[in-house]
Amino acid sequence: MSIFALRKIEAVKGKQQFYELLVDGVSNYKQFSDSIKDNSQYCSEMRTILAYMNFVAELKMLPKTKFRDITPAKDNVKEYEFKSDHLRVYAFHIEKTGKVVALWGFKNNQDEDIKKFRSIKKRFIETL
Amino acid sequence: MITRKELLKSKEFWLAKLQTSLYQEVEMYLKKNNLNKTQFALQLGVSKGYISQILNGDFDHKISKFIELSLAIGKAPVLKLEDIDKCVLLDSIGLLDNITDTQINISVNFTKHVKVEKIEETNIDIHSFNKKVPSRFLNLGLKEFNFTDTTMCLS
C-alpha cells in the first residue's frame, strides 16, 4: 500500500490551496520538472500551467481549452485537466483541502496518463 | 521546480494573466449583451476565428488590436508598468492583485508590522493588513529594497 502526502505548491497562491501529491515520498511534479529541464518549450509551458493554476486558485474563470472538468459521470470527487500545447496536468478536488495535483504528463500520452491518474486518485481516496 | 518568485518574473505568467483577463471580460460582455461569437465578430469587423482565439485564451496580437478590442467591449485598457521586485514584494503579502486597482503605500518599521494605507478609492480593508511581516518579506526588503533605519515607503 502506498503512502501519500500532500505538499503545497509554492508557486501557486490564492483563495484555494494547491498541493502536489507525493506517492511513497516521490514527487511526480519534481520528477517531471527535472525531466523537461533541458527543453525550453516545455519549461515555458510548465510556467504557463502554473500561471493557470494561480488563476484557478484565485477562483477566476479559464477557457475550457486551458482548464476543464474531466470528472467521470457519478464520481463525486471532481477531476480537472490543465492544458498547454504539449503538456497535460491532472488534479482532483478534496473538500476543505483544495486541489491536489497528482500527475504531470504529455498530450500524446493523455489516455494512459488519465488511467494512471484515476488509479492514483482512487488509492489516495481509499486512504482518507 | 519553479519558485513563486521565478513564476512572477516570467513572461508566461503575465501573458497568461492578460489573456485570461481579456477572455473574462469578453465572455462577460457577450453574456451581458446576449451576443454570440459571430455577432461579436461582425460588430468588430473581424473573423469569427479571431474571436474564438480570444475566447480560447490565446490572444497574442498587436497592442492596437488589444486596445480596439477593449474599447469595443466598453473597457479602457489601463496598463501600468510596475517594478517587478515591487510586484514580488506585494505578492508576498497578498496584495499583487490590488496593484493595478489603486496606489498602495506600504511602510515597514521596527515593530516588524506592515501597514497598508489606502490613498485612493479601493476595497482594501486597512485594518486587515496590520499583520506580521513574513520573514521572506523582510529578507527581500532588506536585500533588494535597502530598507533604512527609519521607514521606507513604496508607492
Side-chain angles (χ1 to χ4, degrees), chain A residues 11 15 17 19 61 75 96 99 113 115:
Chain A
K15 294 180 180 79
Q17 300 292 339
Y19 298 90
M61 277 196 308
D75 194 328
K96 293 177 185 166
K99 297 265 187 299
D113 280 343
K115 277 182 203 158

PDB file of all heavy atoms in Angstrom, chain A residues 11 15 17 19 61 75 96 99 113 115:
ATOM      1  N   ALA A  11       4.642  27.829  -5.872  1.00  0.00           N
ATOM      2  CA  ALA A  11       4.433  28.820  -6.941  1.00  0.00           C
ATOM      3  C   ALA A  11       2.968  29.212  -7.109  1.00  0.00           C
ATOM      4  O   ALA A  11       2.661  30.142  -7.846  1.00  0.00           O
ATOM      5  CB  ALA A  11       4.980  28.274  -8.257  1.00  0.00           C
ATOM      6  N   LYS A  15      -7.027  31.961  -3.100  1.00  0.00           N
ATOM      7  CA  LYS A  15      -8.049  31.643  -2.105  1.00  0.00           C
ATOM      8  C   LYS A  15      -8.160  30.128  -1.904  1.00  0.00           C
ATOM      9  O   LYS A  15      -8.529  29.654  -0.856  1.00  0.00           O
ATOM     10  CB  LYS A  15      -9.403  32.197  -2.565  1.00  0.00           C
ATOM     11  CG  LYS A  15      -9.411  33.714  -2.601  1.00  0.00           C
ATOM     12  CD  LYS A  15     -10.759  34.243  -3.058  1.00  0.00           C
ATOM     13  CE  LYS A  15     -10.770  35.750  -3.100  1.00  0.00           C
ATOM     14  NZ  LYS A  15     -10.109  36.322  -4.291  1.00  0.00           N
ATOM     15  N   GLN A  17      -6.231  26.389  -2.046  1.00  0.00           N
ATOM     16  CA  GLN A  17      -4.871  25.834  -1.930  1.00  0.00           C
ATOM     17  C   GLN A  17      -4.604  24.822  -3.049  1.00  0.00           C
ATOM     18  O   GLN A  17      -5.514  24.095  -3.456  1.00  0.00           O
ATOM     19  CB  GLN A  17      -4.692  25.126  -0.594  1.00  0.00           C
ATOM     20  CG  GLN A  17      -4.894  26.010   0.616  1.00  0.00           C
ATOM     21  CD  GLN A  17      -3.800  27.050   0.760  1.00  0.00           C
ATOM     22  OE1 GLN A  17      -2.702  26.910   0.218  1.00  0.00           O
ATOM     23  NE2 GLN A  17      -4.110  28.129   1.459  1.00  0.00           N
ATOM     24  N   TYR A  19      -1.980  21.618  -3.921  1.00  0.00           N
ATOM     25  CA  TYR A  19      -0.988  20.700  -3.362  1.00  0.00           C
ATOM     26  C   TYR A  19      -0.480  19.764  -4.453  1.00  0.00           C
ATOM     27  O   TYR A  19      -1.220  19.445  -5.377  1.00  0.00           O
ATOM     28  CB  TYR A  19      -1.608  19.841  -2.261  1.00  0.00           C
ATOM     29  CG  TYR A  19      -2.122  20.624  -1.079  1.00  0.00           C
ATOM     30  CD1 TYR A  19      -3.441  21.094  -1.049  1.00  0.00           C
ATOM     31  CD2 TYR A  19      -1.302  20.896   0.009  1.00  0.00           C
ATOM     32  CE1 TYR A  19      -3.920  21.824   0.031  1.00  0.00           C
ATOM     33  CE2 TYR A  19      -1.770  21.625   1.104  1.00  0.00           C
ATOM     34  CZ  TYR A  19      -3.083  22.088   1.096  1.00  0.00           C
ATOM     35  OH  TYR A  19      -3.551  22.809   2.167  1.00  0.00           O
ATOM     36  N   MET A  61     -12.229  32.555 -13.864  1.00  0.00           N
ATOM     37  CA  MET A  61     -12.645  31.687 -14.973  1.00  0.00           C
ATOM     38  C   MET A  61     -11.483  31.461 -15.940  1.00  0.00           C
ATOM     39  O   MET A  61     -10.725  32.385 -16.198  1.00  0.00           O
ATOM     40  CB  MET A  61     -13.743  32.382 -15.783  1.00  0.00           C
ATOM     41  CG  MET A  61     -15.132  32.255 -15.238  1.00  0.00           C
ATOM     42  SD  MET A  61     -16.332  32.699 -16.497  1.00  0.00           S
ATOM     43  CE  MET A  61     -15.790  34.292 -17.079  1.00  0.00           C
ATOM     44  N   ASP A  75     -19.125  10.188 -10.390  1.00  0.00           N
ATOM     45  CA  ASP A  75     -17.987  10.283  -9.456  1.00  0.00           C
ATOM     46  C   ASP A  75     -18.144  11.589  -8.683  1.00  0.00           C
ATOM     47  O   ASP A  75     -18.321  12.647  -9.298  1.00  0.00           O
ATOM     48  CB  ASP A  75     -16.668  10.282 -10.231  1.00  0.00           C
ATOM     49  CG  ASP A  75     -15.476  10.027  -9.322  1.00  0.00           C
ATOM     50  OD1 ASP A  75     -15.528  10.434  -8.145  1.00  0.00           O
ATOM     51  OD2 ASP A  75     -14.496   9.413  -9.790  1.00  0.00           O
ATOM     52  N   LYS A  96     -12.553  21.030   1.591  1.00  0.00           N
ATOM     53  CA  LYS A  96     -11.879  21.630   2.750  1.00  0.00           C
ATOM     54  C   LYS A  96     -10.356  21.514   2.682  1.00  0.00           C
ATOM     55  O   LYS A  96      -9.662  21.795   3.655  1.00  0.00           O
ATOM     56  CB  LYS A  96     -12.392  21.049   4.071  1.00  0.00           C
ATOM     57  CG  LYS A  96     -13.837  21.436   4.340  1.00  0.00           C
ATOM     58  CD  LYS A  96     -14.341  20.804   5.604  1.00  0.00           C
ATOM     59  CE  LYS A  96     -15.825  21.101   5.779  1.00  0.00           C
ATOM     60  NZ  LYS A  96     -16.464  20.287   6.778  1.00  0.00           N
ATOM     61  N   LYS A  99      -7.120  21.774  -4.281  1.00  0.00           N
ATOM     62  CA  LYS A  99      -6.816  20.975  -5.467  1.00  0.00           C
ATOM     63  C   LYS A  99      -5.532  20.179  -5.223  1.00  0.00           C
ATOM     64  O   LYS A  99      -4.532  20.732  -4.754  1.00  0.00           O
ATOM     65  CB  LYS A  99      -6.621  21.882  -6.687  1.00  0.00           C
ATOM     66  CG  LYS A  99      -7.869  22.689  -7.075  1.00  0.00           C
ATOM     67  CD  LYS A  99      -8.671  21.979  -8.150  1.00  0.00           C
ATOM     68  CE  LYS A  99      -9.815  22.815  -8.675  1.00  0.00           C
ATOM     69  NZ  LYS A  99     -10.845  23.210  -7.737  1.00  0.00           N
ATOM     70  N   ASP A 113      -2.174   8.396 -19.263  1.00  0.00           N
ATOM     71  CA  ASP A 113      -1.986   9.222 -18.066  1.00  0.00           C
ATOM     72  C   ASP A 113      -3.283   9.369 -17.275  1.00  0.00           C
ATOM     73  O   ASP A 113      -3.260   9.378 -16.046  1.00  0.00           O
ATOM     74  CB  ASP A 113      -1.454  10.613 -18.445  1.00  0.00           C
ATOM     75  CG  ASP A 113       0.047  10.591 -18.710  1.00  0.00           C
ATOM     76  OD1 ASP A 113       0.708   9.613 -18.297  1.00  0.00           O
ATOM     77  OD2 ASP A 113       0.556  11.539 -19.333  1.00  0.00           O
ATOM     78  N   LYS A 115      -5.684   7.227 -17.110  1.00  0.00           N
ATOM     79  CA  LYS A 115      -5.891   5.945 -16.406  1.00  0.00           C
ATOM     80  C   LYS A 115      -5.020   5.892 -15.146  1.00  0.00           C
ATOM     81  O   LYS A 115      -5.465   5.526 -14.065  1.00  0.00           O
ATOM     82  CB  LYS A 115      -5.516   4.776 -17.323  1.00  0.00           C
ATOM     83  CG  LYS A 115      -6.630   4.377 -18.269  1.00  0.00           C
ATOM     84  CD  LYS A 115      -6.197   3.188 -19.107  1.00  0.00           C
ATOM     85  CE  LYS A 115      -7.003   3.131 -20.394  1.00  0.00           C
ATOM     86  NZ  LYS A 115      -6.342   2.379 -21.446  1.00  0.00           N
TER      87      LYS A 115
END
